[in-house]
Amino acid sequence: GTGANAEEAATENIFEMNFEKEIQKAIEASDFRFAVRLMYLQTLRDLSFKNLITYTHEKTNTDYLVQLAGSAYYRTFFRLTRNFDYAWYGHFPVSQESFSMIQNEFNSFKQQLA
C-alpha cells in the first residue's frame, strides 16, 4: 500500500515542516502512530538546531544515539527512540492513553532542550 510511503515522503524535509500543525492534525485524526513519528522527527530537528546531532535523511536512529552518547540527553532520547520504534516500525497499536504518556515524554524532553 502507499500509506506508509506517502507518510514517510511527507516527512522527508524536517526543516520545512510545521510540526505543531501536523501533529495536531494527526491527533485529531486519531493517527497516534503518525503523531509519534512526527514528534520524533521534530525532536531530531531540535537536536540538530542545537548542534547536538548531525541530521541527514540517510542516518538511522542508532546513528543519532551514538552521537548523543555520553551527553545529558542520551537516556531520555534512548527512551523516545524506543517508543518511536515500537509505534512506527513495530506496528504496535498506540492507544490514546499510551499516546498521552509518550507525548508527555517528548514534551519534557523539548523543555530539557530549550
Side-chain angles (χ1 to χ4, degrees):
T2 53
N5 294 351
E7 283 180 340
E8 297 216 4
T11 52
E12 224 138 279
N13 193 343
I14 67 167
F15 298 105
E16 287 175 9
M17 281 194 71
N18 179 343
F19 279 104
E20 301 305 327
K21 197 179 97 189
E22 295 303 321
I23 290 166
Q24 205 44 51
K25 274 192 340 203
I27 292 170
E28 282 164 17
S30 295
D31 190 349
F32 298 122
R33 274 184 69 233
F34 191 47
V36 171
R37 176 178 170 80
L38 289 168
M39 290 190 304
Y40 189 74
L41 291 171
Q42 183 180 35
T43 301
L44 292 180
R45 183 199 64 182
D46 294 348
L47 286 166
S48 181
F49 280 162
K50 291 247 179 257
N51 295 316
L52 292 163
I53 63 166
T54 309
Y55 176 86
T56 68
H57 191 62
E58 289 73 38
K59 283 201 165 84
T60 66
N61 301 339
T62 309
D63 291 329
Y64 300 123
L65 281 165
V66 168
Q67 289 182 44
L68 285 174
S71 77
Y73 306 108
Y74 178 82
R75 188 172 293 162
T76 314
F77 183 68
F78 180 86
R79 210 165 53 235
L80 295 176
T81 301
R82 198 178 50 197
N83 286 339
F84 167 65
D85 280 341
Y86 277 145
W88 190 253
Y89 296 109
H91 292 277
F92 279 79
V94 180
S95 66
Q96 181 133 28
E97 197 179 356
S98 59
F99 176 74
S100 294
M101 281 163 43
I102 292 171
Q103 189 177 30
N104 285 339
E105 289 198 29
F106 274 101
N107 286 340
S108 62
F109 189 59
K110 199 191 289 185
Q111 283 157 11
Q112 193 187 343
L113 281 177

